Amino acid sequence: MADLNAIPGLRGRISDTRRRITLLRLAKAFWPTAILVGVFLICALSGLFDRMTPAAAASATIITLVGGVWLTLRGRARYTAPAASEAEAALDAQSEMRPIASLKDRPAKPTVDGQVLWREHEKRLAQAAAGLETPSFRDDWRAFDPAWLRAALPAAILGLVVVAGADAPGRVLRALSPDYGALMGAGDLRVEAWITPPEYSGKAPVFLTDETEPVRVPAGSEITLRAQARSAPRLVSRGDGGRGSVRFEATPDGAYEIKAIVRADTDYSVRWWGERAAWTVLASPDETPDARFVEVPKLGENDRTEFEWEVSDDYGVETLALSLRLVEPHPAAPDAEDRIVIAMRGVSPKEATEASEMDLTRHRWAGLQVEARLAATDGAGQTGFSDPHTFVLPEKLLLQPLARAIQEIRVTVLREPRGYDDIPINASAVTQGAINTAPLNRLEAAPPDVRKAALMLDAVTFEGPRFFQDYSIWTALRMSHGILSAASDKADADSVDHVLWAAALKAEYGSSADALAALLAAKRALENALRDGASEEEIARLTDAFRQAAQNYIQAKIAEAVANGLPPSAQSGLDDALQGDGESGFGQQDLTDMLNALEDLAETGAADQARQLLSDITNLLENLQFQQGGGQGQGGFNIPGGEGEEGDNNQPQEEQALSDAIEGLSDLLREQRELNDDTLEAGRREFGEQPSPGLDGQSLAERQDALREMLDELGEAAGGEEGEDGEQQAGGLSEDALEEIERFQQRAAEALRQDRQRAAEGNQELATGLLRDLVGELAQELDDLREARGADDPSANNQDPFGNSTAGRDDADTIDVPDELQRQRAKDILEELRRRFGEATDEEERDYLERLLDRF
């Protein structure tokens, strides 16, 4: 047998023939699969899948995949791999000598002569084998694929790839991964999503749609997703916090909902048989609030702690507190801290600088050295602290020995940081006839300082009926002892605070302390209402309560003065003071005017001015002192350094004349302005609008004539005298100015009768401007006269109208209280805005008036 490897190229041709036979058999076995895949690729590359409905595309892909697998399995069953002998036989078929097969033969009878012939025979076979060519199997291919699909399909696919260009891979991938969920009804799934920023940020909710770009929201925002689906979708989140997957929860209305807090940059996607919606949410971090002392805490008037502070935050400061820690804390509570809330103007200010004053004399650490810091907290709960400041917390100045003793007992209880020991359970007490005495001995379980306070109360109240002049104080102290004896924990023991504080103030000041506490409580309630923007009804109710508390406090001070030995001859003067007698030293009318001004400011929405005036009134009342009058039956109240017996009725005649003139002109100015407004409203008919009933030119002219007559009466009532410059004066009123005002009023009346609207409005405005200027000049003149009179009277220097010392007072902390004219004008404007808002029918006009009312 000859060696086939020795024939050059024969093994290679055998291998090539075997590959060609293999390719032919593969084509015959898997041609259905190839045609199916080719058609799928042609449909995908041509974009047909993109134009199908999701359900149709998914169905086509599934059919292709399932059909392809089935046809592949069938083809695999039909396919048989060709052996090497089949390739050799295909090559031998080209020659009648069948050289490859013959070379494998052996001679039947090997002889010497036969060997020579056999070798010659092998040479001829080897030459024939070397001349064999690899068969092409054209006839087999032509018989198998007469339509040349083996070339047409690849050519069509290649052409579509060229046409599709860069989008070709995407089309194929989309065809291979269609929306299979569409077959399950995913096309009916609806997803609603929105993000609700934290309330403190003041930002509006953000609604998410398919077109929403990456959205940035404050950290801590809540994302809500709601889906209408056949089963619960899943929310998949990926971000800095890792990856999470949570199922939606069913809602009572048959939907599914889920909520999550956005704390970092996160990608959210809703999955239900594939991804149904996706968004990128970026979280903006919330900065920690910044707080600092502009002026460090210091002791001010009336033992109040005064300081100035500044805070800022990116979304606003929710609460501000003064944080206190002991410099030398109790060993049992080294980290003890107290926070006292500081009132701020407005709601959650982003930046604020204010001055505050607090009465910290009731604090348990009063009299001790503390470390104070400002603690500003934002809506996210983050707290920023200022630099610390060390000072001694002011304590109440108590002069009466009994009051000082009560205060010492009180702070002994409050400064005890330790709790009660557990009271042992007496098991035998549950048997019949047994008596459980453990609850009667709770002081034995109390911390040391509470037991010490109980002993101090026993000592102070010893022989109380014998030594106490005010039996109510003794009763309060014994009640405090009972509270400590019955307390089962530290909170119960601390409840003696209110009783002991009231007893200490009663021992020091008497009954007026209770009235002062009520006054301060009414002040705080009204301040909070003004700060928080309460309703008009609530503010009016609290203003009345403050007015009543002020009157009660004055009555308590009078009762205290009577109890301290006021002569009966002076008590009638006190009654006059309460009734507002102008001859009393207190100046009750001034207090009434300030309370009226407070009510007007609150009603017209001037919250800051109302709060400042409220504080001024309270300070004046706290400084109130009794004084006896110089005559029979004269007595009253005064601020130290006040005007004494000289009241408003004792002012010089020149000042009184100016005051009367200003009052009359103010009334005239108010009515002139009302007439101007009505004239403007009547002029609407020029623009086709319907004027209000009764606003015809004749009636307006009659009203203008009446105002001109009122001006004449004011000039006649003031009398006439010649001024320094030779100009005729009427009680401070320049006759030239009055004549000019009267001239414009007369022109306005004539224009109204002739229905010349524009001319009437112009003359009315000129008359109003002159009236306003005249009132301002007279007010300035009156101020100059009063200032000059105060300079001539040394006792009046550095005093306000109630006698309060103004020396050293910072003008930046005070406000100008609007006079009656300004307040009335503000009220008139507010009422007019409300009336027009109620009558307006145009929506734009109503919106404009509503904005004005909100600002007012």
Side-chain angles (χ1 to χ4, degrees):
M1 182 179 65
D3 185 10
L4 298 180
N5 293 327
I7 301 174
L10 182 59
R11 283 297 179 187
R13 288 191 290 275
I14 293 173
S15 298
D16 289 343
T17 303
R18 189 176 182 180
R19 282 194 295 272
R20 293 186 180 187
I21 295 172
T22 300
L23 181 60
L24 180 59
R25 289 188 177 180
L26 286 173
K28 290 181 178 181
F30 295 102
W31 69 267
T33 304
I35 291 177
L36 181 63
V37 171
V39 171
F40 175 81
L41 291 176
I42 290 173
C43 293
L45 291 170
S46 64
L48 181 60
F49 276 86
D50 292 338
R51 291 189 290 272
M52 291 182 181
T53 63
S59 300
T61 302
I62 291 176
I63 291 173
T64 301
L65 293 176
V66 173
V69 171
W70 181 71
L71 292 174
T72 301
L73 292 176
R74 289 197 60 188
R76 181 68 183 87
R78 292 194 302 266
Y79 172 74
T80 56
S85 59
E86 295 180 78
E88 293 172 357
L91 284 170
D92 275 347
Q94 299 179 44
S95 174
E96 296 179 354
M97 298 176 61
R98 300 184 64 83
I100 298 175
S102 299
L103 286 173
K104 295 180 180 179
D105 293 341
R106 295 180 180 180
K109 293 180 180 181
T111 61
V112 175
D113 294 336
Q115 289 293 332
V116 174
L117 293 174
W118 185 254
R119 282 195 293 272
E120 288 296 328
H121 177 65
E122 285 183 339
K123 287 181 180 179
R124 292 177 62 190
L125 292 175
Q127 290 176 357
L132 295 176
E133 298 291 337
T134 303
S136 63
F137 302 104
R138 285 192 185 90
D139 294 338
D140 295 330
W141 279 107
R142 189 178 296 112
F144 166 68
D145 182 20
W148 282 84
L149 291 177
R150 63 186 180 277
L153 279 177
I157 293 172
L158 182 61
L160 288 174
V161 168
V162 173
V163 172
D167 194 33
R171 291 181 180 181
V172 175
L173 289 177
R174 289 193 295 273
L176 290 173
S177 57
D179 185 5
Y180 297 108
L183 299 175
M184 308 302 297
D188 298 330
L189 185 140
R190 296 291 181 268
V191 179
E192 298 177 350
W194 64 91
I195 300 176
T196 306
E199 184 177 354
Y200 65 81
S201 68
K203 295 184 176 296
V206 179
F207 292 90
L208 304 178
T209 63
D210 295 339
E211 293 79 21
T212 301
E213 298 293 332
V215 60
R216 183 170 293 278
V217 296
S221 299
E222 182 182 66
I223 181 172
T224 303
L225 300 102
R226 183 179 176 87
Q228 299 285 346
R230 298 179 182 179
S231 60
R234 289 184 301 112
L235 175 65
V236 178
S237 59
R238 296 184 181 89
D240 297 340
R243 184 182 186 279
S245 178
V246 184
R247 283 200 175 276
F248 282 55
E249 296 182 356
T251 62
D253 58 354
Y256 295 91
E257 187 174 280
I258 193 171
K259 296 182 179 181
I261 301 299
V262 181
R263 305 192 184 279
D265 296 351
T266 308
D267 294 326
Y268 292 98
S269 64
V270 178
R271 295 186 176 273
W272 192 80
W273 292 93
E275 184 176 271
R276 298 296 142 203
W279 301 278
T280 298
V281 180
L282 308 177
S284 298
D286 188 357
E287 301 296 334
T288 302
D290 181 64
R292 70 181 187 91
F293 284 114
V294 178
E295 291 185 4
V296 296
K298 62 182 179 180
L299 183 63
E301 296 181 359
N302 300 323
D303 295 331
R304 292 180 178 272
T305 302
E306 300 176 350
F307 56 93
E308 189 174 349
W309 48 264
E310 181 180 55
V311 295
S312 61
D313 185 63
D314 46 1
Y315 292 115
V317 178
E318 288 288 320
T319 59
L320 179 65
L322 185 66
S323 172
L324 301 177
R325 288 177 179 267
L326 285 173
V327 175
E328 297 181 0
H330 196 287
D335 298 326
E337 178 189 22
D338 272 4
R339 291 192 182 182
I340 303 167
V341 177
I342 301 174
M344 298 185 295
R345 294 182 183 178
V347 179
S348 300
K350 292 185 177 181
E351 292 183 358
T353 302
E354 295 184 30
S356 297
E357 59 177 27
M358 295 181 172
D359 185 1
L360 301 179
T361 57
R362 189 173 175 176
H363 197 274
R364 57 174 176 161
W365 294 334
L368 302 180
Q369 193 173 38
V370 297
E371 180 186 84
R373 295 189 302 170
L374 292 171
T377 305
D378 62 9
Q382 302 178 110
T383 302
F385 293 92
S386 68
D387 295 332
H389 171 68
T390 302
F391 72 107
V392 176
L393 206 62
E395 59 182 335
K396 195 73 172 179
L397 179 61
L398 301 175
L399 303 178
Q400 299 298 326
L402 179 58
R404 293 201 302 269
I406 296 173
Q407 172 67 352
E408 183 178 356
I409 297 171
R410 173 178 166 272
V411 297
T412 299
V413 175
L414 298 180
R415 291 175 183 174
E416 172 59 78
R418 291 163 288 193
Y420 275 58
D421 297 334
D422 293 334
I423 300 177
I425 299 176
N426 186 2
S428 61
V430 299
T431 60
Q432 185 176 2
I435 299 177
N436 186 11
T437 60
L440 303 177
N441 300 316
R442 289 178 176 173
L443 272 176
E444 295 180 0
D449 283 350
V450 174
R451 296 200 298 268
K452 176 183 177 182
L455 291 176
M456 295 170 69
L457 284 170
D458 281 333
V460 171
T461 58
F462 178 73
E463 292 289 341
R466 179 178 177 184
F467 296 108
F468 275 77
Q469 295 180 354
D470 191 338
Y471 200 68
S472 63
I473 299 178
W474 181 87
T475 303
L477 296 180
R478 291 313 303 170
M479 183 175 69
S480 300
H481 187 279
I483 293 174
L484 294 180
S485 300
S488 56
D489 55 32
K490 186 60 169 54
D492 291 343
D494 288 345
S495 63
V496 300
D497 175 24
H498 305 287
V499 181
L500 292 178
W501 181 258
L505 294 182
K506 186 70 176 295
E508 179 71 19
Y509 302 111
S511 60
S512 63
D514 297 330
L516 178 59
L519 177 67
L520 296 178
K523 172 199 172 188
R524 285 193 299 271
L526 183 52
E527 278 182 333
N528 293 337
L530 291 170
R531 182 193 64 208
D532 299 337
S535 63
E536 294 182 9
E537 295 77 8
E538 180 68 12
I539 291 178
R541 187 178 67 85
L542 293 175
T543 304
D544 291 340
F546 179 78
R547 183 190 296 271
Q548 186 60 47
Q551 297 296 338
N552 293 343
Y553 178 68
I554 295 174
Q555 292 176 354
K557 294 291 288 186
I558 292 177
E560 184 182 76
V562 173
N564 290 337
L566 178 69
S569 60
Q571 295 184 21
S572 61
L574 294 177
D575 295 334
D576 292 339
L578 285 176
Q579 298 299 325
D581 190 342
E583 297 180 357
S584 63
F586 174 62
Q588 176 77 13
Q589 185 59 45
D590 290 331
L591 174 61
T592 301
D593 291 342
M594 293 185 76
L595 290 173
N596 292 337
L598 172 64
E599 187 173 358
D600 292 340
L601 289 172
E603 181 181 349
T604 55
D608 291 341
Q609 290 181 308
R611 289 172 62 191
Q612 181 64 53
L613 181 56
L614 178 64
S615 179
D616 292 342
I617 295 174
T618 306
N619 291 336
L620 291 174
L621 292 174
E622 286 187 84
N623 291 328
L624 202 61
Q625 293 181 1
F626 169 75
Q627 72 171 17
Q628 293 190 27
Q632 179 70 19
Q634 294 299 316
F637 283 91
N638 235 354
I639 308 302
E643 292 180 354
E645 294 183 358
E646 183 183 7
D648 289 342
N649 291 340
N650 294 328
Q651 63 182 336
Q653 183 178 0
E654 186 177 3
E655 293 182 18
Q656 185 65 48
L658 279 174
S659 298
D660 294 341
I662 291 173
E663 182 178 359
L665 287 175
S666 298
D667 293 338
L668 177 60
L669 178 59
R670 181 178 66 253
E671 294 189 20
Q672 182 65 61
R673 281 171 168 162
E674 291 177 357
L675 179 58
N676 294 358
D677 293 341
D678 291 342
T679 303
L680 286 172
E681 186 172 357
R684 291 183 177 181
R685 58 191 172 191
E686 295 185 7
F687 300 97
E689 299 183 16
Q690 183 65 33
S692 299
L695 295 183
D696 58 273
Q698 190 64 28
S699 61
L700 294 175
E702 293 174 356
R703 289 172 57 186
Q704 186 65 77
D705 288 335
L707 294 182
R708 182 166 55 84
E709 294 175 0
M710 182 185 299
L711 181 66
D712 292 338
E713 294 175 358
L714 287 175
E716 295 175 359
E721 59 182 15
E722 187 174 324
E724 296 179 358
D725 56 357
E727 182 182 350
Q728 193 71 13
Q729 302 283 332
L733 301 178
S734 168
E735 285 196 359
D736 290 343
L738 294 179
E739 290 176 358
E740 189 173 5
I741 295 171
E742 184 179 359
R743 184 166 59 253
F744 286 123
Q745 288 180 329
Q746 186 174 2
R747 290 176 181 177
E750 291 296 332
L752 287 171
R753 291 189 184 94
Q754 299 171 11
D755 202 18
R756 293 185 293 117
Q757 185 70 26
R758 296 301 183 189
E761 292 176 4
N763 284 285
Q764 285 178 339
E765 286 299 326
L766 291 173
T768 302
L770 291 174
L771 278 171
R772 183 174 59 249
D773 294 342
L774 183 56
V775 171
E777 293 173 1
L778 294 181
Q780 182 62 45
E781 185 178 350
L782 180 60
D783 290 341
D784 294 341
L785 289 175
R786 288 176 175 174
E787 184 178 353
R789 180 163 58 91
D792 295 337
D793 183 4
S795 64
N797 290 338
N798 296 327
Q799 292 174 359
D800 60 16
F802 266 172
N804 252 353
S805 175
T806 59
R809 180 181 297 178
D810 186 2
D811 291 340
D813 295 335
T814 63
I815 64 169
D816 293 331
V817 179
D819 57 23
E820 183 177 0
L821 174 62
Q822 294 171 319
R823 300 199 308 271
Q824 184 61 43
R825 178 60 175 166
K827 292 171 68 175
D828 293 344
I829 295 174
L830 183 59
E831 291 299 327
E832 180 64 17
L833 287 175
R834 289 172 176 166
R835 184 186 66 79
R836 293 191 180 186
F837 179 75
E839 296 177 355
T841 57
D842 183 69
E843 190 63 28
E844 292 185 1
E845 183 181 4
R846 287 181 63 86
D847 291 342
Y848 172 69
L849 292 173
E850 186 175 8
R851 291 195 300 270
L852 287 180
L853 285 171
D854 291 340
R855 294 183 58 186
F856 208 89

